[in-house]
């Protein structure tokens, strides 16, 4: 039977997907399992598997973590596997975003708001109109539910430059957001990060936008990149960074050393190397640059080369004890799972939401069940 044939049909055909099945699909893709084998394991058709994979990929022509998403279906599936193997790819957020647009069959439990979206909504309730900018409260429910074309996607240097140019030209925020195909609150957040932390401004992000506009109009050489780096979690990839990363790849700089240089995780370095097409897979990166033992990159490397050796920690979060899962992720250790839980709870606290109830359990990707029962995260 050829890889392109779609004849594997099981008794799960036509039934809704759930969060556990999605996690198993992701783990199998990381391990490099063929689509036909995945279909047999899930008791679904090959078409159902490729369709589910498609729902985990942003729309063609858009960007996520600065990477171009191919238009061809086969290329998009390859791109998805590369992002998953690099680690920390937010497939649940992409899936949830497509669900909001009425294109996904994901269960309600999988509809997880992206962390950046949660933070964007934690705005200063007293913020009003300042210098032509509308407060987040004035965005309608309809705009939030449908969302512009590039909502929730990663930002790149050309977009930041267009945002700066729009502010410098005196364009109102709605026009800038429309040009960037972004939500106004997301544009407001990015602009606010371009203001130094010591500016000591009152009035929240709206006031910081007005301040930034004033600086850009008064000083054509205003340095917005430095505060953007300082106020953004993780690296802000600019042209100079990519050049340095490329040089590091050429000379074989160790992956842990690169991560320390850019003050980010090894998984983000791997993802950027894949985005720049310097490497084709996590396996290639580890073979050339190595990685930290016991880390996420090593776990993904083992998943791709020897699934039986990879022991994973599955993290499940719910709003009430025994309730439906609103968060599901896979980690290389309990410590890493605890760090992710703390980060999610921190974002929820900023949005004035209660922390989740967390459970963890061990699982090997080559087994169809958990190695142990789920237990409270400690």
């Amino acid at each position: 039977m050829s890889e392109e044939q779609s004849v594997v049909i099981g008794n799960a055909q036509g039934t809704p997907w759930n969060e556990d099945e999605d996690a198993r699909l992701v783990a199998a893709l990381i391990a490099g399992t063929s689509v036909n084998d995945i279909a047999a394991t899930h008791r679904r058709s090959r078409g159902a598997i490729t369709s589910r994979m498609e729902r985990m990929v942003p729309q063609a022509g858009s960007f996520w973590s600065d990477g171009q998403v191919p238009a061809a279906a086969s290329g998009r599936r390859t791109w998805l596997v590369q992002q998953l193997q690099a680690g920390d790819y937010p497939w649940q957020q992409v899936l949830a975003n497509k669900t909001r647009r009425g294109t996904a069959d994901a269960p309600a439990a999988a509809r997880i708001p992206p962390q950046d979206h949660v933070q964007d909504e934690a705005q200063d309730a007293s913020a009003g109109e300042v210098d032509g900018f509308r407060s987040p409260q004035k965005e309608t429910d309809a705009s939030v539910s449908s969302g512009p074309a590039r909502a929730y996607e990663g930002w790149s240097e050309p977009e930041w430059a267009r945002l700066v140019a729009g502010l410098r030209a005196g364009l109102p925020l709605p026009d800038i957001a429309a040009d960037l195909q972004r939500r106004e609150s997301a544009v407001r957040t990015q602009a606010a990060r371009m203001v130094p932390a010591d500016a000591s401004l009152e009035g929240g992000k709206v006031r910081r936008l007005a301040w930034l506009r004033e600086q850009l109009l008064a000083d054509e050489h205003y340095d917005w990149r430095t505060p953007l780096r300082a106020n953004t979690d993780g690296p802000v990839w600019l042209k100079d960074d990519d050049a340095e990363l490329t040089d590091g790849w050429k000379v074989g700089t160790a992956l842990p050393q690169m991560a320390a240089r850019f003050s980010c995780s090894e998984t983000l370095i791997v993802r950027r190397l894949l985005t720049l097409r310097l490497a084709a897979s996590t396996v290639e990166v580890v073979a050339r640059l190595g990685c930290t033992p016991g880390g996420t990159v090593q776990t993904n490397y083992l998943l791709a080369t020897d699934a039986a050796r990879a022991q994973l920690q599955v993290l499940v979060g719910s709003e009430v004890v025994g309730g439906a899962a609103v968060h599901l992720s896979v980690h290389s250790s309990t410590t890493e799972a605890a760090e992710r839980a703390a980060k999610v709870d921190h974002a929820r606290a900023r949005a004035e939401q209660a922390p989740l109830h967390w459970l963890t359990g061990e699982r090997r990707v080559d087994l169809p069940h958990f190695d142990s029962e789920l237990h409270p995260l400690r």
Side-chain angles (χ1 to χ4, degrees):
M1 177 170 53
S2 70
E3 184 67 17
E4 293 304 317
Q5 288 177 311
S6 180
V7 297
V8 180
I9 301 178
N11 57 18
Q13 182 76 4
T15 61
W17 287 72
N18 57 49
E19 60 268 20
D20 179 68
E21 195 173 9
D22 281 331
R24 288 167 51 204
L25 170 59
V26 168
L29 292 173
I30 292 173
T33 308
S34 71
V35 173
N36 279 347
D37 287 345
I38 295 175
T41 301
H42 285 255
R43 296 178 297 171
R44 294 181 180 274
S45 70
R46 173 185 167 85
I49 300 302
T50 57
S51 176
R52 196 61 175 177
M53 292 173 64
E54 174 65 25
R55 297 180 195 277
M56 296 179 182
V57 180
Q59 66 182 42
S62 65
F63 286 79
W64 192 287
S65 299
D66 306 343
Q68 180 73 42
V69 179
S74 59
R76 291 164 65 81
R77 294 196 294 270
T78 300
W79 181 91
L80 172 64
V81 173
Q82 290 178 340
Q83 300 303 309
L84 292 171
Q85 290 180 342
D88 289 341
Y89 173 69
W91 57 269
Q92 291 169 302
Q93 297 174 7
V94 179
L95 191 61
N97 188 30
K98 288 194 172 182
T99 299
R100 293 188 188 95
R101 298 180 188 180
T103 61
D105 56 1
R111 299 172 189 172
I112 304 168
Q115 183 172 322
D116 286 346
H117 171 62
V118 173
Q119 293 176 352
D120 288 349
E121 294 303 313
Q123 304 282 351
D124 185 348
S126 64
E129 294 238 2
V130 177
D131 198 20
F133 294 98
R134 297 182 299 180
S135 67
Q137 289 77 12
K138 295 196 176 184
E139 293 183 11
T140 65
D141 291 340
S143 68
V144 173
S145 61
S146 60
R150 300 187 62 184
Y152 313 121
E153 297 177 9
W155 286 68
S156 61
E157 184 171 13
E159 282 191 293
W160 285 313
R162 284 165 58 193
L163 167 57
V164 168
L167 291 175
R168 184 170 277 138
L171 297 178
L173 184 62
D175 291 353
I176 297 175
D179 174 61
L180 294 172
Q181 297 181 300
R182 302 278 187 173
R183 295 180 62 240
E184 291 177 31
S185 60
V187 176
R188 184 182 292 106
T189 294
Q190 295 298 319
R193 290 172 178 170
M194 298 177 181
V195 177
D198 58 4
S200 301
L201 299 174
E202 297 182 357
K205 295 178 182 179
V206 176
R207 178 65 191 111
R208 296 173 77 84
L209 273 172
W211 184 93
L212 176 62
R213 182 192 291 271
E214 294 169 0
Q215 299 303 310
L216 292 173
L217 290 174
D219 181 5
E220 63 177 335
H221 300 295
Y222 174 77
D223 178 17
W224 52 268
R225 292 174 175 84
T226 298
L228 179 65
R229 290 180 188 273
N231 296 325
T232 302
D233 293 333
V236 174
W237 298 113
L238 303 178
K239 292 181 180 178
D240 292 343
D241 300 323
D242 287 342
E244 184 175 346
L245 202 61
T246 300
D247 290 340
W249 172 259
K250 290 179 179 178
V251 301
T253 303
L255 187 61
Q257 184 177 339
M258 282 192 180
R261 163 63 185 86
F262 290 100
S263 300
C264 67
S265 67
E266 293 179 17
T267 57
L268 288 178
I269 298 294
V270 172
R271 185 180 300 169
R272 190 60 183 172
L273 291 172
L274 296 178
T275 296
L276 296 174
R277 294 180 172 82
L278 295 172
S281 67
T282 299
V283 173
E284 182 180 355
V285 173
V286 173
R288 184 180 182 91
L289 307 180
C291 63
T292 299
T296 300
V297 172
Q298 186 189 53
T299 298
N300 290 336
Y301 173 80
L302 291 174
L303 284 171
T305 57
D306 188 358
R309 294 174 55 199
Q311 191 77 30
L312 305 177
Q313 288 288 332
V314 179
L315 177 66
V316 181
S318 58
E319 294 183 338
V320 296
V321 176
V326 297
H327 175 96
L328 182 68
S329 55
V330 179
H331 306 277
S332 61
S333 66
T334 303
T335 300
E336 188 179 88
E339 291 174 353
R340 174 62 63 84
K343 184 179 293 186
V344 172
D345 281 343
H346 177 70
R348 290 177 62 85
R350 292 185 59 179
E352 298 182 354
Q353 297 176 331
L356 297 178
H357 297 274
W358 297 102
L359 299 173
T360 60
E362 294 182 348
R363 182 170 187 172
R364 254 174 48 189
V365 68
D366 59 333
L367 298 178
H369 53 75
F370 285 99
D371 298 342
S372 64
E373 294 183 357
L374 292 174
H375 54 80
L377 177 66
R378 296 183 176 84

